[in-house]
Short mmCIF file of all heavy atoms in Angstrom, two decimals:
data_model
loop_
_atom_site.label_atom_id
_atom_site.label_comp_id
_atom_site.label_asym_id
_atom_site.label_seq_id
_atom_site.Cartn_x
_atom_site.Cartn_y
_atom_site.Cartn_z
N VAL A 864 12.24 -101.22 -67.02
CA VAL A 864 11.32 -101.07 -68.24
C VAL A 864 10.81 -99.59 -68.26
O VAL A 864 10.82 -99.02 -69.38
CB VAL A 864 10.09 -102.09 -68.17
CG1 VAL A 864 9.09 -101.71 -69.19
CG2 VAL A 864 10.62 -103.50 -68.43
N ILE A 865 10.39 -99.13 -67.14
CA ILE A 865 9.91 -97.70 -67.14
C ILE A 865 11.00 -96.75 -67.59
O ILE A 865 10.82 -95.85 -68.41
CB ILE A 865 9.43 -97.31 -65.71
CG1 ILE A 865 8.13 -98.05 -65.38
CG2 ILE A 865 9.08 -95.77 -65.60
CD1 ILE A 865 7.71 -97.91 -63.99
N GLU A 866 12.27 -96.89 -66.97
CA GLU A 866 13.37 -96.03 -67.33
C GLU A 866 13.68 -96.13 -68.82
O GLU A 866 13.98 -95.09 -69.46
CB GLU A 866 14.58 -96.40 -66.56
CG GLU A 866 14.49 -96.05 -65.09
CD GLU A 866 15.71 -96.49 -64.25
OE1 GLU A 866 16.53 -97.30 -64.80
OE2 GLU A 866 15.77 -96.17 -63.10
N ASN A 867 13.72 -97.39 -69.36
CA ASN A 867 14.05 -97.50 -70.75
C ASN A 867 12.96 -96.86 -71.71
O ASN A 867 13.32 -96.21 -72.68
CB ASN A 867 14.20 -99.01 -71.10
CG ASN A 867 14.74 -99.20 -72.48
OD1 ASN A 867 15.66 -98.41 -72.94
ND2 ASN A 867 14.40 -100.27 -73.05
N GLU A 868 11.71 -97.09 -71.39
CA GLU A 868 10.66 -96.45 -72.23
C GLU A 868 10.66 -94.90 -72.19
O GLU A 868 10.42 -94.30 -73.22
CB GLU A 868 9.29 -96.96 -71.66
CG GLU A 868 8.90 -98.31 -72.26
CD GLU A 868 8.83 -98.33 -73.82
OE1 GLU A 868 8.21 -97.47 -74.48
OE2 GLU A 868 9.46 -99.24 -74.40
N MET A 869 10.99 -94.34 -70.97
CA MET A 869 11.03 -92.93 -70.84
C MET A 869 12.26 -92.33 -71.59
O MET A 869 12.12 -91.24 -72.19
CB MET A 869 11.00 -92.49 -69.37
CG MET A 869 9.75 -92.85 -68.62
SD MET A 869 8.15 -92.17 -69.36
CE MET A 869 7.41 -93.68 -69.89
N ALA A 870 13.32 -92.98 -71.54
CA ALA A 870 14.62 -92.52 -72.04
C ALA A 870 14.70 -92.74 -73.57
O ALA A 870 15.11 -91.86 -74.32
CB ALA A 870 15.80 -93.00 -71.37
N ASN A 871 14.37 -93.98 -73.97
CA ASN A 871 14.64 -94.36 -75.32
C ASN A 871 13.49 -94.83 -76.16
O ASN A 871 13.55 -95.03 -77.37
CB ASN A 871 15.68 -95.58 -75.29
CG ASN A 871 16.91 -95.16 -74.49
OD1 ASN A 871 17.40 -94.13 -74.66
ND2 ASN A 871 17.31 -96.09 -73.72
N GLY A 872 12.37 -95.18 -75.56
CA GLY A 872 11.18 -95.81 -76.20
C GLY A 872 10.20 -94.72 -76.63
O GLY A 872 10.53 -93.53 -76.94
N SER A 873 8.91 -95.11 -76.61
CA SER A 873 7.89 -94.33 -77.08
C SER A 873 7.58 -93.19 -76.05
O SER A 873 6.96 -92.19 -76.46
CB SER A 873 6.59 -95.14 -77.17
OG SER A 873 6.18 -95.59 -75.96
N GLY A 874 8.08 -93.30 -74.88
CA GLY A 874 7.78 -92.19 -73.89
C GLY A 874 6.41 -92.42 -73.20
O GLY A 874 5.97 -91.48 -72.52
N GLU A 875 5.85 -93.52 -73.39
CA GLU A 875 4.54 -93.85 -72.72
C GLU A 875 4.54 -95.20 -72.29
O GLU A 875 4.88 -96.19 -73.03
CB GLU A 875 3.42 -93.50 -73.59
CG GLU A 875 2.01 -93.63 -72.97
CD GLU A 875 0.94 -93.09 -73.83
OE1 GLU A 875 1.18 -92.29 -74.70
OE2 GLU A 875 -0.23 -93.51 -73.57
N LEU A 876 3.96 -95.49 -71.08
CA LEU A 876 3.83 -96.85 -70.57
C LEU A 876 2.57 -96.97 -69.79
O LEU A 876 2.31 -96.28 -68.78
CB LEU A 876 5.05 -97.17 -69.61
CG LEU A 876 5.08 -98.64 -69.03
CD1 LEU A 876 5.39 -99.59 -70.21
CD2 LEU A 876 6.11 -98.79 -67.98
N LEU A 877 1.69 -97.81 -70.28
CA LEU A 877 0.36 -98.00 -69.66
C LEU A 877 0.37 -99.13 -68.71
O LEU A 877 0.82 -100.25 -69.00
CB LEU A 877 -0.75 -98.24 -70.72
CG LEU A 877 -2.03 -98.46 -70.23
CD1 LEU A 877 -2.59 -97.20 -69.57
CD2 LEU A 877 -3.01 -98.76 -71.46
N TRP A 878 -0.04 -99.01 -67.48
CA TRP A 878 -0.16 -99.96 -66.47
C TRP A 878 -1.59 -100.13 -66.15
O TRP A 878 -2.26 -99.40 -65.42
CB TRP A 878 0.62 -99.59 -65.24
CG TRP A 878 0.75 -100.60 -64.17
CD1 TRP A 878 0.24 -101.92 -64.16
CD2 TRP A 878 1.49 -100.49 -62.94
NE1 TRP A 878 0.66 -102.51 -62.99
CE2 TRP A 878 1.37 -101.69 -62.28
CE3 TRP A 878 2.23 -99.41 -62.39
CZ2 TRP A 878 1.94 -101.93 -61.05
CZ3 TRP A 878 2.81 -99.68 -61.16
CH2 TRP A 878 2.68 -100.89 -60.44
N PRO A 879 -2.31 -101.11 -66.73
CA PRO A 879 -3.75 -101.28 -66.58
C PRO A 879 -4.31 -101.24 -65.16
O PRO A 879 -3.60 -101.80 -64.27
CB PRO A 879 -4.04 -102.64 -67.21
CG PRO A 879 -2.91 -102.92 -68.19
CD PRO A 879 -1.66 -102.29 -67.56
N ARG A 880 -5.33 -100.51 -64.96
CA ARG A 880 -5.97 -100.36 -63.70
C ARG A 880 -5.16 -99.48 -62.68
O ARG A 880 -5.57 -99.28 -61.51
CB ARG A 880 -6.42 -101.67 -63.05
CG ARG A 880 -7.43 -102.33 -63.87
CD ARG A 880 -7.91 -103.68 -63.30
NE ARG A 880 -7.78 -103.77 -61.87
CZ ARG A 880 -7.71 -104.87 -61.13
NH1 ARG A 880 -7.71 -106.03 -61.78
NH2 ARG A 880 -7.59 -104.88 -59.85
N VAL A 881 -3.98 -99.09 -63.10
CA VAL A 881 -3.09 -98.23 -62.14
C VAL A 881 -2.92 -96.85 -62.77
O VAL A 881 -3.17 -95.85 -62.11
CB VAL A 881 -1.71 -98.88 -61.89
CG1 VAL A 881 -0.88 -98.00 -61.03
CG2 VAL A 881 -1.95 -100.21 -61.22
N GLY A 882 -2.41 -96.75 -63.97
CA GLY A 882 -2.23 -95.49 -64.58
C GLY A 882 -1.23 -95.54 -65.77
O GLY A 882 -0.97 -96.65 -66.32
N ARG A 883 -0.79 -94.33 -66.11
CA ARG A 883 0.07 -94.15 -67.26
C ARG A 883 1.21 -93.32 -66.94
O ARG A 883 1.02 -92.25 -66.43
CB ARG A 883 -0.77 -93.61 -68.41
CG ARG A 883 -0.02 -93.21 -69.66
CD ARG A 883 -0.95 -92.71 -70.73
NE ARG A 883 -1.52 -91.45 -70.38
CZ ARG A 883 -1.19 -90.24 -71.01
NH1 ARG A 883 -0.34 -90.29 -72.01
NH2 ARG A 883 -1.69 -89.10 -70.69
N PHE A 884 2.45 -93.81 -67.18
CA PHE A 884 3.64 -92.95 -67.15
C PHE A 884 3.89 -92.41 -68.52
O PHE A 884 3.74 -93.18 -69.55
CB PHE A 884 4.85 -93.85 -66.79
CG PHE A 884 4.84 -94.42 -65.38
CD1 PHE A 884 4.26 -95.68 -65.15
CD2 PHE A 884 5.29 -93.65 -64.32
CE1 PHE A 884 4.20 -96.21 -63.88
CE2 PHE A 884 5.29 -94.23 -63.04
CZ PHE A 884 4.76 -95.52 -62.81
N TYR A 885 4.19 -91.12 -68.62
CA TYR A 885 4.46 -90.55 -69.88
C TYR A 885 5.47 -89.44 -69.82
O TYR A 885 5.70 -88.88 -68.75
CB TYR A 885 3.17 -90.11 -70.57
CG TYR A 885 2.48 -89.02 -69.90
CD1 TYR A 885 2.58 -87.62 -70.24
CD2 TYR A 885 1.61 -89.28 -68.81
CE1 TYR A 885 1.89 -86.67 -69.59
CE2 TYR A 885 0.89 -88.29 -68.10
CZ TYR A 885 1.09 -87.03 -68.51
OH TYR A 885 0.37 -86.02 -67.78
N ARG A 886 6.23 -89.31 -70.95
CA ARG A 886 7.22 -88.26 -71.00
C ARG A 886 6.66 -86.96 -71.60
O ARG A 886 5.77 -87.10 -72.47
CB ARG A 886 8.40 -88.85 -71.99
CG ARG A 886 9.55 -87.89 -72.13
CD ARG A 886 10.61 -88.50 -73.01
NE ARG A 886 10.10 -88.86 -74.31
CZ ARG A 886 10.52 -89.83 -75.02
NH1 ARG A 886 11.38 -90.74 -74.48
NH2 ARG A 886 9.96 -90.11 -76.18
N GLN A 887 7.01 -85.91 -71.02
CA GLN A 887 6.55 -84.59 -71.40
C GLN A 887 7.69 -83.64 -71.59
O GLN A 887 8.63 -83.71 -70.78
CB GLN A 887 5.52 -84.12 -70.43
CG GLN A 887 4.71 -82.86 -70.94
CD GLN A 887 3.59 -82.59 -69.97
OE1 GLN A 887 3.74 -82.62 -68.74
NE2 GLN A 887 2.47 -82.20 -70.54
N THR A 888 7.60 -82.69 -72.49
CA THR A 888 8.63 -81.69 -72.68
C THR A 888 8.15 -80.36 -72.10
O THR A 888 7.00 -79.92 -72.33
CB THR A 888 8.93 -81.44 -74.17
OG1 THR A 888 9.35 -82.71 -74.73
CG2 THR A 888 10.06 -80.45 -74.34
N ARG A 889 8.96 -79.81 -71.18
CA ARG A 889 8.63 -78.53 -70.51
C ARG A 889 9.33 -77.46 -71.37
O ARG A 889 10.52 -77.56 -71.57
CB ARG A 889 9.09 -78.53 -69.10
CG ARG A 889 8.69 -77.31 -68.38
CD ARG A 889 9.15 -77.36 -66.88
NE ARG A 889 8.30 -78.33 -66.18
CZ ARG A 889 8.61 -78.75 -64.95
NH1 ARG A 889 9.64 -78.30 -64.27
NH2 ARG A 889 7.78 -79.58 -64.35
N ALA A 890 8.58 -76.49 -71.76
CA ALA A 890 9.12 -75.41 -72.60
C ALA A 890 10.14 -74.54 -71.80
O ALA A 890 10.08 -74.46 -70.58
CB ALA A 890 8.07 -74.52 -73.11
N PRO A 891 11.06 -73.98 -72.56
CA PRO A 891 12.01 -73.08 -71.87
C PRO A 891 11.30 -71.87 -71.21
O PRO A 891 10.22 -71.44 -71.72
CB PRO A 891 12.93 -72.57 -73.01
CG PRO A 891 12.25 -72.85 -74.19
CD PRO A 891 11.26 -73.98 -73.96
N ARG A 892 11.86 -71.37 -70.11
CA ARG A 892 11.17 -70.30 -69.45
C ARG A 892 12.16 -69.45 -68.71
O ARG A 892 13.33 -69.81 -68.43
CB ARG A 892 10.07 -70.83 -68.48
CG ARG A 892 10.68 -71.73 -67.40
CD ARG A 892 9.55 -72.52 -66.70
NE ARG A 892 10.11 -73.14 -65.54
CZ ARG A 892 10.67 -74.36 -65.54
NH1 ARG A 892 11.01 -74.90 -66.66
NH2 ARG A 892 11.01 -74.88 -64.35
N THR A 893 11.76 -68.27 -68.30
CA THR A 893 12.49 -67.25 -67.56
C THR A 893 12.01 -67.27 -66.17
O THR A 893 10.77 -67.11 -65.94
CB THR A 893 12.48 -65.89 -68.13
OG1 THR A 893 12.91 -66.00 -69.52
CG2 THR A 893 13.37 -64.93 -67.47
N ILE A 894 12.85 -67.32 -65.14
CA ILE A 894 12.44 -67.20 -63.74
C ILE A 894 13.18 -66.16 -63.07
O ILE A 894 14.26 -65.64 -63.58
CB ILE A 894 12.70 -68.52 -63.01
CG1 ILE A 894 14.25 -68.84 -62.95
CG2 ILE A 894 11.98 -69.72 -63.62
CD1 ILE A 894 14.54 -69.96 -61.91
N SER A 895 12.68 -65.67 -61.97
CA SER A 895 13.36 -64.67 -61.18
C SER A 895 13.67 -65.38 -59.81
O SER A 895 12.89 -66.12 -59.28
CB SER A 895 12.55 -63.37 -61.03
OG SER A 895 11.40 -63.69 -60.26
N THR A 896 14.87 -65.01 -59.34
CA THR A 896 15.32 -65.59 -57.99
C THR A 896 15.20 -64.54 -56.89
O THR A 896 15.99 -63.60 -56.84
CB THR A 896 16.76 -66.11 -58.17
OG1 THR A 896 16.85 -66.91 -59.35
CG2 THR A 896 17.14 -66.95 -57.00
N PRO A 897 14.21 -64.73 -56.00
CA PRO A 897 14.07 -63.72 -54.96
C PRO A 897 15.35 -63.50 -54.03
O PRO A 897 15.59 -62.43 -53.63
CB PRO A 897 12.88 -64.17 -54.18
CG PRO A 897 12.17 -65.08 -55.04
CD PRO A 897 13.21 -65.65 -55.97
N MET A 898 15.99 -64.61 -53.84
CA MET A 898 17.15 -64.55 -52.93
C MET A 898 18.31 -63.70 -53.45
O MET A 898 19.20 -63.28 -52.75
CB MET A 898 17.58 -65.96 -52.55
CG MET A 898 16.59 -66.76 -51.73
SD MET A 898 17.15 -68.38 -51.26
CE MET A 898 18.48 -67.99 -50.18
N THR A 899 18.39 -63.60 -54.79
CA THR A 899 19.47 -62.76 -55.37
C THR A 899 18.95 -61.43 -55.89
O THR A 899 19.47 -60.82 -56.82
CB THR A 899 20.07 -63.51 -56.55
OG1 THR A 899 19.16 -63.83 -57.61
CG2 THR A 899 20.70 -64.77 -56.04
N GLY A 900 17.87 -60.91 -55.28
CA GLY A 900 17.35 -59.58 -55.68
C GLY A 900 16.49 -59.58 -56.90
O GLY A 900 16.49 -58.64 -57.66
N GLY A 901 15.94 -60.75 -57.17
CA GLY A 901 15.04 -60.80 -58.44
C GLY A 901 15.86 -61.07 -59.68
O GLY A 901 15.28 -60.86 -60.82
N GLU A 902 17.05 -61.52 -59.56
CA GLU A 902 17.86 -61.75 -60.79
C GLU A 902 17.12 -62.77 -61.65
O GLU A 902 16.60 -63.73 -61.22
CB GLU A 902 19.15 -62.39 -60.34
CG GLU A 902 20.02 -62.94 -61.51
CD GLU A 902 21.28 -63.68 -60.94
OE1 GLU A 902 21.88 -63.21 -59.97
OE2 GLU A 902 21.60 -64.69 -61.59
N ARG A 903 17.02 -62.42 -62.94
CA ARG A 903 16.30 -63.30 -63.88
C ARG A 903 17.22 -64.27 -64.67
O ARG A 903 18.40 -63.81 -64.93
CB ARG A 903 15.54 -62.45 -64.89
CG ARG A 903 14.50 -61.53 -64.18
CD ARG A 903 13.69 -60.72 -65.03
NE ARG A 903 12.73 -61.47 -65.89
CZ ARG A 903 11.61 -62.05 -65.51
NH1 ARG A 903 11.30 -62.07 -64.22
NH2 ARG A 903 10.80 -62.69 -66.29
N ARG A 904 16.80 -65.44 -64.82
CA ARG A 904 17.67 -66.46 -65.56
C ARG A 904 16.80 -67.36 -66.39
O ARG A 904 15.66 -67.59 -66.12
CB ARG A 904 18.64 -67.15 -64.67
CG ARG A 904 17.91 -68.06 -63.71
CD ARG A 904 18.93 -68.78 -62.82
NE ARG A 904 18.23 -69.70 -61.97
CZ ARG A 904 18.59 -70.88 -61.72
NH1 ARG A 904 19.72 -71.29 -62.20
NH2 ARG A 904 17.85 -71.70 -61.01
N GLN A 905 17.39 -67.87 -67.46
CA GLN A 905 16.78 -68.78 -68.38
C GLN A 905 16.86 -70.20 -67.90
O GLN A 905 17.87 -70.62 -67.49
CB GLN A 905 17.38 -68.65 -69.77
CG GLN A 905 16.91 -67.45 -70.57
CD GLN A 905 15.48 -67.52 -70.93
OE1 GLN A 905 14.67 -66.77 -70.42
NE2 GLN A 905 15.11 -68.31 -71.91
N ILE A 906 15.73 -70.88 -67.94
CA ILE A 906 15.72 -72.35 -67.75
C ILE A 906 15.49 -72.99 -69.11
O ILE A 906 14.56 -72.69 -69.80
CB ILE A 906 14.57 -72.76 -66.76
CG1 ILE A 906 14.70 -72.03 -65.44
CG2 ILE A 906 14.60 -74.29 -66.58
CD1 ILE A 906 15.84 -72.50 -64.59
N PRO A 907 16.39 -73.87 -69.51
CA PRO A 907 16.30 -74.51 -70.86
C PRO A 907 15.08 -75.48 -70.90
O PRO A 907 14.54 -75.87 -69.86
CB PRO A 907 17.56 -75.15 -71.11
CG PRO A 907 18.14 -75.42 -69.70
CD PRO A 907 17.62 -74.36 -68.88
N GLU A 908 14.75 -75.92 -72.11
CA GLU A 908 13.72 -76.87 -72.36
C GLU A 908 14.19 -78.18 -71.64
O GLU A 908 15.36 -78.55 -71.74
CB GLU A 908 13.57 -77.16 -73.82
CG GLU A 908 12.57 -78.20 -74.18
CD GLU A 908 12.51 -78.40 -75.63
OE1 GLU A 908 11.72 -77.63 -76.25
OE2 GLU A 908 13.09 -79.27 -76.21
N THR A 909 13.32 -78.87 -70.95
CA THR A 909 13.63 -80.08 -70.21
C THR A 909 12.58 -81.10 -70.58
O THR A 909 11.43 -80.84 -70.82
CB THR A 909 13.72 -79.90 -68.71
OG1 THR A 909 12.49 -79.37 -68.28
CG2 THR A 909 14.87 -78.95 -68.35
N ARG A 910 12.94 -82.37 -70.44
CA ARG A 910 12.05 -83.55 -70.54
C ARG A 910 11.83 -84.07 -69.09
O ARG A 910 12.70 -84.18 -68.38
CB ARG A 910 12.61 -84.67 -71.44
CG ARG A 910 12.68 -84.27 -72.84
CD ARG A 910 13.14 -85.24 -73.82
NE ARG A 910 13.62 -86.51 -73.30
CZ ARG A 910 14.01 -87.51 -74.04
NH1 ARG A 910 14.10 -87.35 -75.41
NH2 ARG A 910 14.46 -88.65 -73.54
N ILE A 911 10.49 -84.26 -68.83
CA ILE A 911 10.11 -84.74 -67.52
C ILE A 911 9.18 -85.97 -67.65
O ILE A 911 8.69 -86.22 -68.67
CB ILE A 911 9.37 -83.62 -66.73
CG1 ILE A 911 8.16 -83.18 -67.43
CG2 ILE A 911 10.32 -82.52 -66.36
CD1 ILE A 911 7.34 -82.19 -66.61
N VAL A 912 9.11 -86.73 -66.56
CA VAL A 912 8.19 -87.92 -66.53
C VAL A 912 6.98 -87.51 -65.66
O VAL A 912 7.16 -87.03 -64.61
CB VAL A 912 8.90 -89.13 -65.96
CG1 VAL A 912 7.89 -90.30 -65.83
CG2 VAL A 912 10.07 -89.48 -66.81
N ARG A 913 5.84 -87.85 -66.20
CA ARG A 913 4.56 -87.56 -65.47
C ARG A 913 3.82 -88.92 -65.26
O ARG A 913 4.08 -89.98 -65.95
CB ARG A 913 3.66 -86.72 -66.28
CG ARG A 913 4.20 -85.30 -66.59
CD ARG A 913 3.82 -84.45 -65.45
NE ARG A 913 4.32 -83.09 -65.66
CZ ARG A 913 3.78 -82.02 -65.36
NH1 ARG A 913 2.54 -81.97 -64.90
NH2 ARG A 913 4.39 -80.89 -65.53
N PHE A 914 2.96 -88.92 -64.30
CA PHE A 914 2.15 -90.10 -64.04
C PHE A 914 0.72 -89.67 -63.96
O PHE A 914 0.35 -88.71 -63.27
CB PHE A 914 2.48 -90.79 -62.74
CG PHE A 914 1.56 -91.96 -62.34
CD1 PHE A 914 1.70 -93.19 -63.07
CD2 PHE A 914 0.57 -91.80 -61.40
CE1 PHE A 914 0.91 -94.24 -62.68
CE2 PHE A 914 -0.25 -92.87 -61.11
CZ PHE A 914 -0.09 -94.07 -61.75
N SER A 915 -0.24 -90.34 -64.71
CA SER A 915 -1.61 -90.06 -64.61
C SER A 915 -2.35 -91.27 -64.06
O SER A 915 -2.31 -92.37 -64.68
CB SER A 915 -2.10 -89.67 -66.03
OG SER A 915 -3.48 -89.42 -65.98
N PRO A 916 -3.02 -91.21 -62.93
CA PRO A 916 -3.64 -92.41 -62.43
C PRO A 916 -4.89 -92.80 -63.26
O PRO A 916 -5.53 -91.93 -63.87
CB PRO A 916 -4.12 -91.95 -61.02
CG PRO A 916 -4.12 -90.45 -61.02
CD PRO A 916 -3.17 -90.04 -62.06
N SER A 917 -5.22 -94.08 -63.27
CA SER A 917 -6.42 -94.58 -63.96
C SER A 917 -7.66 -94.15 -63.23
O SER A 917 -7.64 -93.85 -62.09
CB SER A 917 -6.27 -96.06 -64.14
OG SER A 917 -6.53 -96.68 -62.83
N ALA A 918 -8.74 -94.24 -63.93
CA ALA A 918 -10.08 -93.99 -63.36
C ALA A 918 -10.35 -94.98 -62.17
O ALA A 918 -10.88 -94.62 -61.19
CB ALA A 918 -11.17 -94.10 -64.36
N THR A 919 -9.89 -96.19 -62.30
CA THR A 919 -10.06 -97.19 -61.21
C THR A 919 -9.31 -96.74 -60.00
O THR A 919 -9.90 -96.84 -58.90
CB THR A 919 -9.56 -98.57 -61.75
OG1 THR A 919 -10.22 -98.89 -62.90
CG2 THR A 919 -9.74 -99.63 -60.63
N LEU A 920 -8.09 -96.31 -60.13
CA LEU A 920 -7.27 -95.95 -59.01
C LEU A 920 -7.92 -94.62 -58.38
O LEU A 920 -7.97 -94.50 -57.15
CB LEU A 920 -5.81 -95.68 -59.39
CG LEU A 920 -4.90 -95.33 -58.26
CD1 LEU A 920 -4.90 -96.47 -57.14
CD2 LEU A 920 -3.47 -95.13 -58.79
N LYS A 921 -8.33 -93.71 -59.20
CA LYS A 921 -8.84 -92.46 -58.62
C LYS A 921 -10.19 -92.80 -57.90
O LYS A 921 -10.35 -92.24 -56.81
CB LYS A 921 -9.31 -91.54 -59.85
CG LYS A 921 -8.12 -90.89 -60.46
CD LYS A 921 -8.67 -90.01 -61.57
CE LYS A 921 -7.57 -89.36 -62.33
NZ LYS A 921 -8.13 -88.50 -63.46
N GLU A 922 -10.98 -93.71 -58.33
CA GLU A 922 -12.18 -94.13 -57.61
C GLU A 922 -11.85 -94.77 -56.30
O GLU A 922 -12.56 -94.53 -55.29
CB GLU A 922 -13.03 -95.07 -58.50
CG GLU A 922 -14.45 -95.30 -57.97
CD GLU A 922 -15.28 -94.03 -57.88
OE1 GLU A 922 -15.10 -93.14 -58.68
OE2 GLU A 922 -16.02 -94.01 -56.86
N LEU A 923 -10.91 -95.59 -56.28
CA LEU A 923 -10.50 -96.28 -54.97
C LEU A 923 -9.98 -95.25 -53.92
O LEU A 923 -10.26 -95.47 -52.74
CB LEU A 923 -9.40 -97.29 -55.20
CG LEU A 923 -9.75 -98.54 -55.93
CD1 LEU A 923 -8.59 -99.44 -56.39
CD2 LEU A 923 -10.74 -99.38 -55.06
#
Side-chain angles (χ1 to χ4, degrees):
V864 168
I865 293 171
E866 288 175 352
N867 191 31
E868 277 301 309
M869 295 303 111
N871 307 315
S873 66
E875 185 171 338
L876 183 70
L877 181 62
W878 189 357
R880 295 179 29 201
V881 175
R883 177 175 68 109
F884 293 92
Y885 60 99
R886 183 176 56 215
Q887 190 173 40
T888 301
R889 185 178 289 170
R892 62 195 189 280
T893 303
I894 64 165
S895 65
T896 311
M898 293 181 66
T899 60
E902 174 186 321
R903 299 184 67 73
R904 64 183 186 136
Q905 283 291 109
I906 302 291
E908 177 179 278
T909 56
R910 290 184 355 180
I911 58 173
V912 175
R913 298 270 175 143
F914 176 77
S915 177
S917 69
T919 304
L920 184 58
K921 285 181 188 178
E922 190 61 35
L923 287 172

